[in-house]
Amino acid sequence: MLLIVALIVLLIVGPFIAIALNRRYGFAANALVVVLLGAALLPRTLVTLVPSPESTPYDIASASLNLQTQTIAFVIAAVIVLVGAGRVRLPLALIVFAVLLSAGMFISWQGTTPEWSGYLSLIGAVIAYGVGWAIGREAFNRVDVARLLLILILAVLVIQLAVAVLQLAGVSLPTGLVNSERTLEQTSGRVSGTIGHPANLSKVAFVLMLLSLPFTTAAEKRLSRLAFACVAVAALVGGLTVSRANLIAMAVLLAAWVLTFPGRARIGTRIGGAIVLVGAGTVFAPLVLERFQDDAEGGLRPLLLTAALRQLREDFLIGTGPNAYIAVVGKVDAATASGYPVHNAFLLLTAELGVLLAFLFFLPLLVVLVWGIWRFRRSDQFMHTPRVLVYSIPGLGVILLTGWGMVSVLLVGLWMFTVGFLSSSRAGVTLQTAGSLERELETESKRALAPSR
């Protein structure tokens, strides 16, 4: 009911807001609002198109064929970009992936309702990459768009933090707001915000942190401070989820970023950041250690991994079909039949789609990470995005190798949007970093002091 009321209000006032945003910022503004609202704040099922029996197993998407707000958001955002004379750029790997995936639905797999549900989720992720690239080109080259991006990210994170605090306080919130009837925050001190699960909320916080970090180096003070605020709130939201893998990813990323913060005269920033990290570690480390003590082996993870490796030995070329892993592997493995896929994003997609399609899907991520390593020493030319990418590698490894949430319908679109966004910096960045501005001023000063000939 709450979601319906919100949609009605949005339909009434939305057009006026959209016109105002477009006049001031261009197409990127409305695309940003749609993406963050549908994918980072309120990822939801809007309507069921084709229902599936309740007993039907599923993993990366719902069993029924639904219209999801996140998928719709990226489609609408792509239309906004194209109508606004923007460009939705897709790498060749994702184009080939989409073509082969579509062909496989008719040739290789059974084409069940859960499989079509998984198919739509993955196609939505492909579109999300293109939208991320288009918005990234605007944000990395226009201060006003970058500022709007950070304001919207901060708004999303503050709302998530507010909901999280209410959950910790034991306030009963509407299911339509929190997207779940579970009460993990009451039984184990973990929060889920409006996402529905603590692990997914922490992944959203981690993704929004990646989007914000490059702008902490901006020469414009207001922009960099806004970016620091986004990073700080994202870390706080992530900490409250007590999600082990995601907290480790955030801790490694932030520690590397703060202790090697780019630019000169940053000793105060480094010391202050280190103090904050130590304080946060003091607060959250006992909670994480307690979770490790309660579940040192990760529950069924070892058994689920064994089942996945067995499935890959038998079939690594075609796969079970998208969103069909549990349905197929669960017939021969009791742990998988309990309703959980292998907690490894790479293995899960390989088992579902085959090694070629899985490789094509992850190739854009691999390319941008390799580019980050290659351009690390010249990262100031790209708003220090290469530095962000390199520092994110350990955390990404932990997240993708110990869980499958990043390829699930709730997160895969937002994740691919982020990959596209950060990849757009490869085309060049015009926003200045504090370090580059300092060098320019130093050069101008030397020129002014040099004796004339």
Side-chain angles (χ1 to χ4, degrees):
M1 184 64 184
L2 181 63
L3 183 59
I4 295 175
V5 173
L7 287 174
I8 293 174
V9 173
L10 185 62
L11 288 173
I12 296 174
V13 303
F16 299 100
I17 298 175
I19 292 172
L21 288 174
N22 188 70
R23 286 178 177 175
R24 181 169 181 179
Y25 301 100
F27 69 82
N30 287 311
L32 268 172
V33 171
V34 171
V35 167
L36 292 178
L37 179 64
L41 185 61
L42 295 170
R44 297 288 188 275
T45 298
L46 286 181
V47 62
T48 298
L49 301 177
V50 181
S52 185
E54 293 183 3
S55 59
T56 302
Y58 60 94
D59 37 80
I60 66 170
S62 60
S64 299
L65 187 59
N66 301 323
L67 282 180
Q68 302 281 348
T69 57
Q70 52 271 39
T71 303
I72 295 174
F74 289 117
V75 172
I76 293 175
V79 172
I80 291 173
V81 170
L82 294 174
V83 171
R87 182 183 176 189
V88 177
R89 180 179 177 181
L90 293 175
L92 179 60
L94 287 184
I95 295 174
V96 175
F97 170 82
V99 172
L100 294 181
L101 181 68
S102 301
M105 292 301 296
F106 296 98
I107 298 173
S108 303
W109 304 307
Q110 298 179 8
T112 61
T113 298
E115 286 180 358
W116 280 110
S117 178
Y119 168 83
L120 287 183
S121 175
L122 293 173
I123 291 297
V126 171
I127 297 172
Y129 179 100
V131 172
W133 191 92
I135 293 177
R137 290 301 302 138
E138 296 293 306
F140 281 121
N141 292 280
R142 291 178 53 185
V143 173
D144 57 343
V145 175
R147 187 183 300 114
L148 177 66
L149 166 73
L150 295 172
I151 289 173
L152 293 174
I153 288 176
L154 185 59
V156 169
L157 289 169
V158 168
I159 292 173
Q160 295 290 9
L161 180 60
V163 173
V165 170
L166 291 175
Q167 289 174 331
L168 286 177
V171 177
S172 180
L173 298 172
T175 302
L177 175 62
V178 297
N179 198 33
S180 176
E181 295 181 355
R182 289 173 294 183
T183 56
L184 284 172
E185 64 278 355
Q186 296 176 6
T187 58
S188 60
R190 303 178 66 193
V191 303
S192 57
T194 66
I195 306 299
H197 193 281
N200 289 336
L201 175 60
S202 60
K203 288 181 176 66
V204 168
F206 179 71
V207 165
L208 296 181
M209 181 183 290
L210 288 177
L211 291 173
S212 304
L213 272 175
F215 300 99
T216 61
T217 66
E220 187 187 62
K221 292 297 184 181
R222 289 183 299 176
L223 193 62
S224 62
R225 289 168 182 167
L226 191 57
F228 272 117
C230 291
V231 172
V233 180
L236 181 56
V237 170
L240 292 176
T241 66
V242 199
S243 181
R244 292 171 291 185
N246 303 303
L247 279 181
I248 291 172
M250 284 187 179
V252 173
L253 174 62
L254 288 179
W257 185 259
V258 168
L259 296 178
T260 65
F261 190 78
R264 300 179 180 179
R266 303 292 179 183
I267 187 66
T269 301
R270 293 190 182 101
I271 294 176
I275 292 174
V276 171
L277 284 175
V278 171
T282 303
V283 174
F284 294 117
L287 299 176
V288 175
L289 291 175
E290 183 178 347
R291 285 206 63 212
F292 273 113
Q293 291 175 353
D294 294 339
D295 184 17
E297 296 184 357
L300 295 174
R301 280 178 171 84
L303 297 176
L304 296 172
L305 177 60
T306 301
L309 295 176
R310 184 189 311 119
Q311 171 64 25
L312 287 171
R313 284 195 298 268
E314 296 176 357
D315 175 18
F316 69 95
L317 292 177
I318 303 300
T320 65
N323 204 32
Y325 176 86
I326 293 178
V328 174
V329 180
K331 294 178 180 179
V332 295
D333 180 74
T336 305
S338 65
Y340 295 99
V342 59
H343 283 52
N344 184 308
F346 298 113
L347 292 182
L348 179 59
L349 272 198
T350 303
E352 291 200 344
L353 307 179
V355 64
L356 175 59
L357 280 175
F359 172 76
L360 290 173
F361 185 81
F362 286 113
L363 185 57
L365 171 61
L366 177 62
V367 168
V368 75
L369 291 178
V370 171
W371 172 80
I373 296 172
W374 181 258
R375 296 296 187 186
F376 185 83
R377 293 185 179 275
R378 296 168 54 193
S379 63
D380 60 332
Q381 299 178 13
F382 307 95
M383 206 69 186
H384 288 291
T385 302
R387 192 181 290 254
V388 174
L389 290 166
V390 171
Y391 292 163
S392 72
I393 291 175
L396 289 176
V398 172
I399 291 175
L400 294 173
L401 293 174
T402 62
W404 53 276
M406 277 296 193
V407 294
S408 69
V409 66
L410 280 174
L411 291 163
V412 67
L414 185 61
W415 169 239
M416 290 299 286
F417 171 86
T418 303
V419 175
F421 184 97
L422 297 177
S423 295
S424 71
S425 65
R426 296 163 59 195
V429 174
T430 60
L431 291 185
Q432 281 190 315
T433 64
S436 63
L437 181 60
E438 289 172 0
R439 284 194 297 274
E440 284 189 13
L441 293 174
E442 184 178 341
T443 301
E444 292 297 326
S445 177
K446 288 181 179 179
R447 289 176 180 175
L449 294 174
S452 58
R453 295 181 179 178

